[in-house]
Amino acid sequence: MPSILNSSTSGFLKINAVKGAAYRFNLNDLSTMSGLVGGNFNAGHSDTTSTAMPTTTSVFGVQGSAYNYSGTISNSYGVYGQSFNTSANATTTNAYGVYSWIGSNNSNVGTGYGFYATTGLTASGTIGTYYGLYLADPSTTGITNRYGIYQENSLNRNYFAGNVGIGTTSPSALLSVGSTSQFQVNSAGAISTTGGLSVGGNQVISPSGVWVGPSTGLVGPQGPAGATGPAGASPWGLYGSNTYYTNGNVGIGTTNPSALLDVETPSTAGIRGILSGQTSNDSNGGFFNLLKSRSGAAIQNGDNLGSLATQAFDGTQYINAARIRFVSNGAVSTGSIPTDIQFLTGTGGGGTERVRIVSNGNVGIGTTNPQKKLHIAGDVEIDGQLFFGGIAQGQSAPYAGCGADYAESVDVTGDRTKYEPGDVLVIDPKAPGKFLKSNEAYSTMASGVYSTKPGFVGRFHEASDPASADEIPMAMLGRVPTKVTAENGPIQVGDLLVTSSTMGYAMKGTDRSRLVGAVIGKALGSLDSGTGTIMVLITLQ
């Protein structure tokens, strides 16, 4: 029942303008019990303008209480407000289930609560679930606009001391969105999402955290107005998964790039230059590519296809130090662009060309038109060995400081593997142009000795010719290790040597009537008996 209750304790006053209470004492169940039910009427009014009350602890416009001492209550309402049109002719302009108004007339209100909810429990009491504000599902049809909470003034602020959940009843962060918290913002301001991030309907970050970017459009830093464009503009663009720069130069390590891409390394940096790596499980390596076209059309003969250059600071300015240049050199056709590689060094413009590799593989040093695999225009100095057909020229031999003979690459009769360095060779009378081991004394067919390490090898055809595989170097002049026999007496230094009856061996020539046309050379060593190898000065006579 409604009642007016005044009470005073030590100068404090508690005023309940209207207090409705419903008490349940019997053991029967009730469907609904309300402390105060208001059907769109003014249930109470409080006024603190009277100076007769120096202190007011609590003022309640409406206070509703529901107590249950035993039994079961299906629904218990401290305050229940209802507004209901009962016929088609009824019209309600504004309907308020509960209406709260806070005002002040030339006085101050410390804190005003449009709606204030709290809880109170005895020592043994429990509350299964507590809702400070619970907005049930308005399942009734015919509602044009539905708002769980509608804030009219944009100046109002919303404050939540705990976690806020949207689509979840158990938010685990300051803001959790989704039934499984797919999007979260924690107390440190960090954002986490399991569904990626989209801007303007385009995904820019995949669910795995990889930047994928929208299909097209501008992305990147959104800065204030400046030299790069108006506020919010970005010169970076995306096309599919590719990023491109739309205006100006790009600088890495510098704020003043002087080229489309300018990479500069500070002196304190531990990593220098540009790195192109390949870590896939295949045979490919890093790749650096230079592209050239004539506005989408084919290039022309003589076009510079690209350069790799190095510049150095001379104390006043940066100057060219060396350069590798790629230049087309020949008729251009589909699938074919003959190209030369030029190596330039020296200052002054682009430098001076020193080496050129032409499109057919020839290398020129001192010439821009090499006619052989290696074409040198100028003097040559060799510190080391010179190889002809796999044979080292000037290589050290067991019998001398170095090869000191002139030899020619010749074809031999039979299996060439049966021939050995030091064998004495004669012309094969049955096969003109071929040679074989000597096998008779004082042969006038004597022509030379199988060279161990020739100083120079002459030949009639290229070393790459298959015929060269069947040839051996035959010394015709100079000092050569030679097989000798003492069958015609001991050999002394200076003796004239001729062929012997022992196959492939030379002996001392003593029959002067038979020496003409049979002399191989002069002995530079001695042999007392048997067979052996000595150094011989080849001088065919």
Side-chain angles (χ1 to χ4, degrees):
M1 62 177 66
S3 63
I4 304 297
L5 175 64
N6 294 325
S7 62
S8 176
T9 303
S10 302
F12 293 89
L13 176 65
K14 178 178 181 181
I15 299 177
N16 295 310
V18 177
K19 180 179 180 181
Y23 297 91
R24 168 70 165 76
F25 292 100
N26 60 25
L27 299 179
N28 296 325
D29 294 341
L30 295 178
S31 176
T32 301
M33 184 167 63
S34 302
L36 175 65
V37 177
N40 195 20
F41 64 92
N42 185 3
H45 178 73
S46 63
D47 189 352
T48 61
T49 60
S50 173
T51 59
M53 295 183 293
T55 302
T56 301
T57 302
S58 301
V59 176
F60 302 91
V62 174
Q63 177 182 346
S65 301
Y67 300 90
N68 184 17
Y69 292 96
S70 63
T72 301
I73 298 177
S74 297
N75 298 291
S76 177
Y77 305 97
V79 174
Y80 180 86
Q82 179 182 9
S83 174
F84 184 72
N85 288 344
T86 59
S87 67
N89 296 326
T91 301
T92 302
T93 303
N94 297 298
Y96 306 94
V98 175
Y99 179 85
S100 172
W101 180 83
I102 299 173
S104 176
N105 184 15
N106 296 323
S107 61
N108 296 323
V109 176
T111 301
Y113 302 95
F115 180 84
Y116 181 87
T118 186
T119 62
L121 295 173
T122 62
S124 60
T126 60
I127 296 178
T129 302
Y130 167 73
Y131 301 98
L133 175 63
Y134 183 89
L135 303 175
D137 179 18
S139 57
T140 303
T141 60
I143 300 177
T144 303
N145 297 306
R146 303 188 182 199
Y147 301 98
I149 296 177
Y150 182 88
Q151 179 175 286
E152 185 179 70
N153 194 322
S154 61
L155 297 179
N156 291 340
R157 299 176 180 177
N158 297 306
Y159 173 77
F160 300 93
N163 296 340
V164 177
I166 300 177
T168 176
T169 58
S170 56
S172 57
L174 288 182
L175 175 61
S176 295
V177 180
S179 59
T180 58
S181 297
Q182 292 93 331
F183 180 87
Q184 288 188 333
V185 180
N186 65 19
S187 59
I191 298 175
S192 62
T193 173
T194 60
L197 179 64
S198 297
V199 177
N202 297 302
Q203 188 178 65
V204 294
I205 298 179
S206 70
S208 61
V210 178
W211 171 268
V212 295
S215 58
T216 59
L218 295 176
V219 297
Q222 305 296 305
T228 60
S234 171
W236 290 98
L238 290 177
Y239 190 83
S241 60
N242 300 320
T243 303
Y244 62 91
Y245 197 71
T246 58
N247 183 31
N249 299 334
V250 176
I252 300 177
T254 175
T255 58
N256 187 29
S258 58
L260 289 178
L261 176 60
D262 188 346
V263 180
E264 298 188 16
T265 305
S267 59
T268 57
I271 300 176
R272 302 176 182 272
I274 300 175
L275 176 64
S276 175
Q278 181 82 17
T279 59
S280 58
N281 187 21
D282 55 33
S283 61
N284 297 319
F287 193 71
F288 190 82
N289 196 14
L290 300 173
L291 299 178
K292 167 64 179 176
S293 72
R294 283 181 170 249
S295 299
I299 62 100
Q300 298 179 10
N301 183 22
D303 281 358
N304 185 348
L305 307 184
S307 297
L308 299 175
T310 178
Q311 293 184 327
F313 193 66
D314 65 358
T316 303
Q317 61 181 346
Y318 281 95
I319 61 174
N320 292 324
R323 181 162 52 136
I324 301 175
R325 184 169 58 196
F326 306 89
V327 179
S328 63
N329 184 16
V332 177
S333 61
T334 301
S336 176
I337 301 178
T339 302
D340 292 356
I341 304 176
Q342 304 170 2
F343 299 83
L344 302 89
T345 63
T347 58
T352 302
E353 182 178 333
R354 310 297 185 182
V355 179
R356 176 178 293 206
I357 304 175
V358 296
S359 58
N360 64 6
N362 290 350
V363 178
I365 301 177
T367 175
T368 61
N369 187 28
Q371 297 301 307
K372 300 294 182 181
K373 290 300 179 183
L374 177 60
H375 185 166
I376 301 175
D379 297 336
V380 177
E381 180 175 343
I382 299 175
D383 293 330
Q385 302 168 9
L386 187 62
F387 287 79
F388 291 92
I391 300 174
Q393 312 301 310
Q395 182 174 345
S396 298
Y399 312 98
C402 63
D405 63 280
Y406 168 80
E408 285 192 7
S409 182
V410 298
D411 196 3
V412 293
T413 299
D415 186 358
R416 71 177 299 276
T417 62
K418 302 298 184 181
Y419 291 78
E420 298 176 344
D423 285 341
V424 177
L425 303 175
V426 296
I427 298 172
D428 185 352
K430 298 180 180 179
K434 290 188 176 184
F435 300 84
L436 47 71
K437 294 180 184 180
S438 62
N439 59 2
E440 66 174 303
Y442 291 98
S443 174
T444 57
M445 295 289 187
S447 54
V449 176
Y450 190 152
S451 177
T452 303
K453 298 293 181 181
F456 183 84
V457 178
R459 63 180 70 248
F460 284 115
H461 41 72
E462 299 286 345
S464 58
D465 192 312
S468 296
D470 296 326
E471 295 181 344
I472 64 173
M474 183 178 67
M476 304 168 65
L477 181 67
R479 292 173 292 174
V480 183
T482 304
K483 294 179 179 180
V484 294
T485 177
E487 68 178 59
N488 197 31
I491 298 174
Q492 303 296 324
V493 174
D495 286 344
L496 295 177
L497 301 179
V498 296
T499 60
S500 70
S501 60
T502 304
M503 182 176 289
Y505 281 77
M507 68 178 184
K508 178 171 66 173
T510 57
D511 187 349
R512 291 187 176 274
S513 63
R514 302 176 67 185
L515 291 179
V516 178
V519 174
I520 299 172
K522 290 185 177 182
L524 297 178
S526 60
L527 178 69
D528 293 334
S529 62
T531 59
T533 301
I534 65 173
M535 189 66 68
V536 175
L537 177 61
I538 304 297
T539 54
L540 297 174
Q541 301 178 25

